[in-house]
Amino acid sequence: MRFLLDPEQRAFADSLHAMLTASDTPSVARDWSRGERASGRALWSRLAEAGVFGLAVPEAYGGVGPLPVELAVAFVELGRHAVPGPLVETVAAAALLTALDDTGPAKRLLPELASGETTATLALGSAHVLDADAADVLLTAAPSHGPTRAADADSEAPRTAALRLAPPVRSHAPIPSLDPTRRLFPSPTGGELLAAGPQVAAAVEQALTRARLATAAQALGVGLALLDKTVAYVRQRTQFGVPVGSFQAVKHRLADAAIALEFARPLVFGAALTRDPADVAAAKLTACEAAYTTARAALQLHGAIGYTAEYELSLWLTKARVLRTVWGGPDACRDLVLSGGDRRW
Amino acid sequence: MDLTHAPADEEFRAEARAWLRAHVPAVPLPSLETAEGFAAHRVWEAELAVDHWSVVSWPPEYGGRGEGLMRWLIFEEEYYAAGAPGRVSQNGISLLAPTLFDHGTDEQRARVLPPMARGEVIWAQAWSEPEAGSDLASLTSRAVRTDRGWLLSGLKTWSSRAAFADRAFGLFRTDPGLPKPHQGLTYLMFDLRAPGVTVRPIGRLDGKPAFAELFLDEVFVPDEDVIGAPGEGWRIAMSTAGNERGLTLRSPGRFLACADRIRELWRTQGSPESARAQVADALIGARAYQLFTYAAASRFLDGETLGPRSSLNKVFWSEYDLALHETALDLLGDEGERADGAWAEGYVFSLAGPIYAGTNEIQRDIIAERLLGLPKGRR
C-alpha cells in the first residue's frame, strides 16, 4: 500500500494549477455569471486539451478513463480556481452513458464530451438543472423510485427509469443561485428517448456516485483556496500595530479549518480508489463540511471586505455553501454511510 | 496511489487475528487505573510478549517481530477489533522506546527494552510540573552532578499511572545558567522506588488514581540512565514528540472498533432517528482517521518525518474520541450514567485527550505557525 499521490498525479495537479492560474479564472467566472460564455468555452477547451474530460470517458469512446483518482486530482484544481460551468455534470453524464447496457448513446455522445467539443448537463430527478443554457447535451433521467434512499435498496419493485435527451434551453432567464456563477433552470421534461429500463436506474446510481465524488473533490479545492487566501490576508492585514494573523483567536480558527480539510482529503482520494457509494458519500459530506467551515472562517477573518461582491473571495464563499446541498446534502450522505453494510472499512 | 495491502500483509493479519481469537480474555479486565486492573493488564502484556505480539514493530532481539509501520497498523486494527485490553505499557512503548531507538545507546536498548516488551517494567512519563504545563521548557526540577551520576530534586506531576508503575522518564534542568529555557535540559530515566522518591497518587474526575505527583529529593540516577548528551534533552524529547501526538499513540484500529460498537449499540436501541447523524459521523470519523494515518505512514515510508503534521492528528483524534464516547453515553440514556458501564471508563479517559500530550490550544498554535506560516505572537 502506498496511499499518496504518485509523482505523475502530482505533476498533473501542478500543470492544471499553472494553466488555471494563467487563465484568470475569476474573470472567467464573472463572465459566466453574466451569461457571457466565450471565455468559459475557451477555458473548457484548454481543460479538454489537458485531458480532464477524457479521464471520465473510457478508451472505447475516445477517452482514457475512467480514472477516478486523476479525476479527483483535476476537480480539486477546478474547485481551487473556482472554474464555472457544468463540470461535475459533464463527468457524471459520462458515467451515466458509460454504464448503460445499450452502447448506442455512449457511441453517439461520449467522444465529443471527451474532446471538449460539447458540454453536458443533467437532471437526475432534481428540481433544477445547472447551465442548461450553455450545455450542448441536456440529459434527464427520472428514476421511478427515489434515487438514493436506503429503504429503496430493499424494495421488491423493479427500479426503472427513462433517459432522455432534452432540447436545449435558450429562452428562459436563469433562476438565481446563491452562487452567481451557477445558472439554474427548471428541469425539462420530454425530449428524445435514449434508453429505458433497469439499466437506466443502475446507470443513474453510477452517475450520482460520480457526481458526488467530483463535487467532494471540487469542494476540497474550494476549501483549500479559501484557506490559502485567508492565510495570505491575515499575514498582511495589520491592526493594533501587528498582523492580525499573530492573534491566537485568528490562528485557531484557521488551524481548525486546516484540520477539517486535511482529514477530508484522504476521504476524497480513498473514495476515488474504492468507488464505494458509502465511501463517496462520506467524502462528499466531509469535504463539503470542511469547505463550508473554511468559508465561514475566511469571511470572518477578512471582515467587511470579504462580505462584498467585488472582492473575489465571494466566488469561493458562495460556492462552498451550494456544494453542500447539491448531489446529496448532509442527510442523504449520512443515509448512504449508514446503509453501507457492516463491512469493516 | 493504492489502498491494497500486499498478500503477505493480509497473511500477517490472519495470523494476528487467529492469535488474538485464541488469547483475548473473554471477560474484560478491570480498569487499568486501579491496582487490581493494573496488575491484570501487566499479566496480559506478558502473555502478548510470549508470542512476540507486544511490540510487533521492534527488532526481534528486543522482543518484537521487526515488522514495518503498515503491519503495525494492521495489527492494531485486529487488536482492537478483537476487543483486546488497553495497553498498560503504552507510555514506555510509544514515548520512551522511540527515543531510545533514536538517541539511546546499545547498552540502554539491551537493558531497557526487553523488560518493557514483557511488561516486567512499566514506565511512566515525568514531564509536567506544577508551574510547567503547556510551557514545559520552563521546568525547574534539577539534576545536579554527583560522582558517576546525577541527583534529581523537584516536583513532577500528572504522571500517568505512576502510582503503580516501576520507572519513569522525563526532563530535568542540569544547567540553570543558560539564557533560553529549553537550553540546559537533560533526558533521564529513574526508578520510582529509588530512595528519595515519594509518589502521591492523584484521583482523576472519577476518583481513580490515574496519575500521581512525584516528589524527588536527591534521587540518584547513574550516568548510564542519561539519554543522549546532558543539555540536549529538549531536542531529544521534541524529536519524538510526534510519536505521542501522531502515529503511534492512537492507532486507527482503536477508533474503527469503537465506531463499530457504536453502530451496534445504536441498532440494539432500535436505530433511533435522533442519533442517526452522530452514528454516521462516528463511522466517517474512523474512516477519515484510518485513511489519514495510511497517508501519514506512506509519507513516513518515503523517508519524510511527520513534523508539525502530527498536531493535525492530535487535535483530530482527541476531539473525535470524546465525541464518540459522548454519542455512546447519549445512546445509553439512563444507563449512560453508570460509572461501571462499558463506555464510562473510556469516556472519562477521553476527557483528558484534548489536554495531555500538548494541549489542543498548543497544537493549534503549532498548526497555524508551522504549517500555515502565521507569525508568532503572544500565547
Side-chain angles (χ1 to χ4, degrees), chain B residues 69-94:
Chain B
L69 197 49
M70 286 297 176
R71 289 203 182 172
W72 178 77
L73 291 169
I74 290 169
F75 172 74
E76 290 279 300
E77 288 178 10
E78 293 302 319
Y79 186 88
Y80 288 102
R87 300 296 304 275
V88 70
S89 288
Q90 180 142 275
N91 276 332
I93 291 170
S94 70

Side-chain angles (χ1 to χ4, degrees), chain A residues 117-239:
Chain A
E117 286 162 74
T118 59
T119 65
T121 190
L122 77 177
L124 303 179
S126 58
H128 304 142
V129 59
L130 180 68
D131 292 321
D133 61 336
D136 309 296
V137 175
L138 172 46
L139 298 175
T140 66
S144 51
H145 297 272
T148 62
R149 294 296 292 199
D152 290 353
D154 304 325
S155 164
E156 291 294 314
R159 291 150 58 81
T160 68
L163 177 66
R164 290 178 186 279
L165 183 63
V169 172
R170 295 286 181 248
S171 54
H172 302 286
I175 300 163
S177 163
L178 284 174
D179 172 359
T181 67
R182 288 174 59 88
R183 296 167 60 83
L184 303 177
F185 295 85
S187 291
T189 52
E192 177 192 346
L193 184 68
L194 291 180
Q199 61 159 342
V200 175
V204 164
E205 293 301 325
Q206 299 283 319
L208 287 169
T209 301
R210 172 74 60 79
R212 287 188 195 108
L213 177 64
T215 306
Q218 188 185 16
L220 177 61
V222 166
L224 291 169
L226 285 163
L227 181 62
D228 282 352
K229 288 171 193 302
T230 310
V231 164
Y233 182 77
V234 302
R235 281 163 58 99
Q236 58 86 19
R237 167 73 174 169
T238 61
Q239 287 289 275

Side-chain angles (χ1 to χ4, degrees), chain A:
Chain A
M1 177 192 296
R2 188 178 180 283
F3 185 52
L4 283 179
L5 292 176
D6 302 332
E8 304 76 41
Q9 291 164 337
R10 287 207 302 272
F12 178 52
D14 291 345
S15 70
L16 282 179
H17 179 59
M19 186 269 274
L20 291 168
T21 302
S23 298
D24 189 14
T25 52
S27 294
V28 176
R30 300 289 195 205
D31 290 348
W32 193 268
S33 65
R34 290 189 295 266
E36 295 164 16
R37 292 192 285 269
S39 62
R41 289 303 290 243
L43 180 57
W44 196 278
S45 298
R46 289 200 291 283
L47 289 170
E49 273 168 39
V52 169
F53 304 110
L55 297 170
V57 175
E59 279 182 42
Y61 306 115
V64 295
L67 290 171
V69 173
E70 283 74 8
L71 205 58
V73 166
F75 271 80
V76 169
E77 297 309 319
L78 296 173
R80 195 197 298 272
H81 291 275
V83 176
L87 298 156
V88 168
E89 291 67 22
T90 292
V91 299
L96 197 161
L97 293 167
T98 303
L100 293 172
D101 297 336
D102 180 359
T103 57
K107 282 180 184 153
R108 175 174 156 195
L109 298 171
L110 281 179
E112 292 194 340
L113 288 185
S115 68
E117 286 162 74
T118 59
T119 65
T121 190
L122 77 177
L124 303 179
S126 58
H128 304 142
V129 59
L130 180 68
D131 292 321
D133 61 336
D136 309 296
V137 175
L138 172 46
L139 298 175
T140 66
S144 51
H145 297 272
T148 62
R149 294 296 292 199
D152 290 353
D154 304 325
S155 164
E156 291 294 314
R159 291 150 58 81
T160 68
L163 177 66
R164 290 178 186 279
L165 183 63
V169 172
R170 295 286 181 248
S171 54
H172 302 286
I175 300 163
S177 163
L178 284 174
D179 172 359
T181 67
R182 288 174 59 88
R183 296 167 60 83
L184 303 177
F185 295 85
S187 291
T189 52
E192 177 192 346
L193 184 68
L194 291 180
Q199 61 159 342
V200 175
V204 164
E205 293 301 325
Q206 299 283 319
L208 287 169
T209 301
R210 172 74 60 79
R212 287 188 195 108
L213 177 64
T215 306
Q218 188 185 16
L220 177 61
V222 166
L224 291 169
L226 285 163
L227 181 62
D228 282 352
K229 288 171 193 302
T230 310
V231 164
Y233 182 77
V234 302
R235 281 163 58 99
Q236 58 86 19
R237 167 73 174 169
T238 61
Q239 287 289 275
F240 306 104
V242 292
V244 296
S246 66
F247 300 136
Q248 216 171 16
V250 171
K251 284 179 181 172
H252 289 194
R253 192 114 193 222
L254 289 172
D256 283 335
I259 293 164
L261 292 166
E262 289 306 318
F263 277 86
R265 189 197 299 269
L267 281 175
V268 170
F269 289 104
L273 282 167
T274 69
R275 311 183 204 182
D276 177 272
D279 270 347
V280 171
K284 162 71 168 75
L285 171 67
T286 308
C288 289
E289 295 271 343
Y292 189 65
T293 295
T294 308
R296 289 289 327 281
L299 174 55
Q300 187 67 22
L301 299 180
H302 276 80
I305 187 71
Y307 192 65
T308 62
E310 300 95 280
Y311 196 65
E312 70 178 36
L313 193 75
S314 63
L315 293 170
W316 287 268
L317 291 175
T318 52
K319 204 175 294 297
R321 174 59 246 180
V322 302
L323 293 183
R324 269 171 70 100
T325 44
V326 299
W327 299 116
D331 207 45
C333 288
R334 289 190 174 105
D335 266 349
L336 284 160
V337 168
L338 287 170
S339 63
D342 288 351
R343 161 191 63 100
R344 280 304 300 275
W345 261 333

Side-chain angles (χ1 to χ4, degrees), chain B residues 37-86:
Chain B
F38 193 90
H41 282 78
R42 193 196 284 269
V43 170
W44 167 247
E45 289 293 318
E47 189 174 348
L48 278 171
V50 167
D51 292 317
H52 297 256
W53 290 111
S54 67
V55 283
V56 295
S57 60
W58 290 10
E61 65 259 40
Y62 303 127
R65 291 174 168 250
E67 302 291 6
L69 197 49
M70 286 297 176
R71 289 203 182 172
W72 178 77
L73 291 169
I74 290 169
F75 172 74
E76 290 279 300
E77 288 178 10
E78 293 302 319
Y79 186 88
Y80 288 102

